[in-house]
Every structure is written in structure tokens, then in C-alpha cells.
Amino acid sequence: MSELRTVSLKKRYRARTVVQDVSLSVKSGEVVGLLGPNGAGKTTLLKALNGLIPRGGSVLLDGAEMPEKTHEIVQAGVALVPEGRQLFPQLTVAENLELGGWLVPKAQRAERLAQAFVDFPKLKERATQLAGTMSGGEQQMVAVARAMMCAPRLLMLDEPSLGLAPKMVDELLTIVRRIADAGTTVLMVEQNVKKALTVADRGYVMERGTLVASGPAKLLARSTVIREAYLGADKDPATGTTSAADAVRRRKAVATP
Ligand code: ATP
């Protein structure tokens, strides 16, 4: 199990600040949802945490500064399932999983693969199928199983439910919960706020590069601000959209005489 903490994490693209002073924590064995609208900076944050882009600020893994190079981050026990899965479509399910275990000593690789098929029994039946011929949900499952091949301490998922049918989303999120209960800490970016909050322990809401709300998942799910911003209530009639920050501002405006 592992604990992640960011302190004033920052990322700029040229003159534009995309992630600003983000301080969050994910405790051992928790599922933490990072929620927010398109363009909020969620993917950028995950990329920065995984060393795919340079970052400012500090990232601590179990109290020690996290390395900055991706292969060192992976070696430290951190795995990322990127948005869009990025499987090798012309390779079989088993081959994709084996590639996920490239850092595992060769002698342990077969053992990890056998474990993946215990954890993801559906994939065992499909071991020889080409990954590119699987449904979106099945591919997402391969992507998660591949990330689990190196037995990470911390698993990060970028929009795992994107484009999946509701039943598949439920199945996948159940797997995510099981992974955390089995001891891997999970940080999950999700736009499917309602469903994410049913499996998460805590959540952070990000907008325009900053965190605008956080708390236990059950409280966030009940929060008027979150419901207004993401769960369909009280949308701006002009744009059909709203945001958590706008919702906070509106509520403050109502409360201020
Ligand atoms: P989505 O849910 O749509 O993926 P997000 O919250 O993950 O949104 P990011 O993908 O992190 O948002 O993007 C945040 C902002 O950073 C966006 O305005 C985006 O255009 C910008 N951005 C992302 N990558 C780059 C880049 N390589 N160069 C310049 N700007 C970028």
C-alpha cells in the first residue's frame, strides 16, 4: 500500500498555467476520484505525476520525493492506465499483459500473468484474442489488468469509463474498488461523477487548473454544489452548462446580502 501527496503541483504550457497549486493526498488503500469538467487539467495532472511531462511543486510517495523520470516512477510502484487505453491491437490479450510485466523479473512473469487471469477471469477466456478486436469495455479491462501486471502500489486511471456502456462502467468500477481493497491505492480521473462517487472513498473537484472542492465521496455525492455542477440540476439556461466554482459563487452571492 502506498500514500501519495502533492504539494503545490504546477504545470504551465508556455504562458498558460494549466495546473495551479494543486495539493492533494491519496491515502493507503483509498480510491480517490479526481473529478471535473473537460479541460480542467485532470489529465495534465496525471501526466505530471507519471513523469510524462515536467512539473513544478512537490510529489511525495510514502513521504519520499517521487522520482521525475517515468521508468523510475514505474519502478517505484506507480502505474498509469492512460485515457484511450493504448493497447497493442495486433497483439493478443496475453501478449499485452506480458508487456505490462516488462519490469517484473522474468521468473515471476508467468506467475503474475496467472494472477491476472484469476483477478480478471473474463480475460482468461480471451487470452488468445487480438486486443484490437475486443469491445471497448473489454479493452479497458485489459488495460487495467496490464497495469496491474507489475503489482503497483499506486494505480492511476484516466477516465476508465469513457465510452463504455453503463453495465460495463459498473463492472469496471467494481474491479477498481476490489483492486483498492486488495491493497493498491487508486487515483482515478472520472467525468462520470455519480458513478465514480459510488466506489470512491474521497473526491477532489478540479476546475480551470485548481481544486475547488474536496471531501468524502458520500458527502460530495450529496453536495448541492456537486449536484448543481455535474449531476444535471440547476444548469445555466443560456449555456446549458454550469461549474462547481460557479455554483459556489452563486451560493455565496445568495448568502451575501
Ligand atoms: P478532459 O476531461 O477533456 O480530458 P482534462 O481535465 O483532462 O480534460 P487536460 O487534458 O489536462 O484537461 O487539459 C487542460 C488544459 O491544458 C486544456 O485547456 C488543454 O487544451 C491544455 N493542454 C493540454 N495539453 C497541452 C499541450 N501539450 N500544450 C498546450 N496545452 C495543452
Side-chain angles (χ1 to χ4, degrees):
M1 288 217 201
S2 215
E3 188 165 323
L4 174 79
R5 200 151 73 83
T6 73
V7 184
S8 281
L9 197 76
K10 297 176 194 69
K11 173 67 197 167
R12 291 164 69 92
Y13 285 118
R14 294 171 187 267
R16 195 155 158 254
T17 301
V18 174
V19 173
Q20 191 166 20
D21 283 331
V22 169
S23 297
L24 57 74
S25 66
V26 189
K27 301 200 182 77
S28 287
E30 273 190 327
V31 175
V32 168
L34 182 58
L35 317 168
N38 288 115
K42 307 178 299 295
T43 297
T44 301
L45 181 71
L46 285 196
K47 283 184 180 166
L49 290 175
N50 281 278
L52 299 170
I53 49 176
R55 59 173 192 245
S58 176
V59 181
L60 302 171
L61 186 66
D62 292 330
E65 192 67 38
M66 184 129 94
E68 293 201 4
K69 295 195 176 112
T70 302
H71 71 277
E72 290 170 3
I73 293 171
V74 175
Q75 266 160 346
V78 179
L80 170 71
V81 179
E83 192 178 335
R85 301 151 204 152
Q86 296 176 17
L87 298 177
F88 295 95
Q90 299 300 336
L91 297 184
T92 66
V93 168
E95 287 164 346
N96 268 280
L97 295 185
E98 277 162 8
L99 283 172
W102 62 281
L103 274 179
V104 178
K106 220 171 176 186
Q108 288 171 28
R109 238 174 265 167
E111 199 182 304
R112 296 289 325 153
L113 188 63
Q115 185 61 45
F117 287 142
V118 171
D119 295 339
F120 300 84
K122 274 192 169 173
L123 298 184
K124 188 174 183 186
E125 300 159 20
R126 307 296 188 90
T128 56
Q129 185 174 340
L130 294 185
T133 64
M134 301 183 92
S135 76
E138 290 163 352
Q139 289 193 26
Q140 189 59 274
M141 229 169 255
V142 177
V144 175
R146 183 177 63 179
M148 292 305 292
M149 278 293 290
C150 51
R153 293 190 284 162
L154 171 67
L155 177 68
M156 298 192 206
L157 302 154
D158 196 356
E159 304 255 11
S161 80
L162 196 70
L164 303 190
K167 199 166 158 257
M168 207 66 216
V169 175
D170 292 340
E171 198 173 326
L172 197 83
L173 291 177
T174 305
I175 289 174
V176 168
R177 183 69 253 178
R178 216 174 54 214
I179 286 172
D181 291 342
T184 301
T185 304
V186 177
L187 176 60
M188 173 173 71
V189 163
E190 257 304 333
Q191 279 198 46
N192 197 333
V193 173
K194 200 173 184 179
K195 292 211 169 180
L197 290 176
T198 62
V199 297
D201 297 291
R202 291 186 302 115
Y204 288 92
V205 182
M206 192 169 183
E207 278 193 20
R208 300 182 194 113
T210 60
L211 297 178
V212 295
S214 66
K218 284 196 176 81
L219 286 184
L220 281 181
R222 285 206 300 266
S223 134
T224 314
V225 170
I226 300 302
R227 292 218 320 270
E228 282 179 6
Y230 300 113
L231 304 179
D234 196 24
K235 285 191 172 159
D236 178 340
T239 62
T241 61
T242 183
S243 72
D246 292 342
V248 171
R249 276 192 288 276
R250 272 203 309 279
R251 284 164 66 75
K252 277 187 184 154
V254 170
T256 312

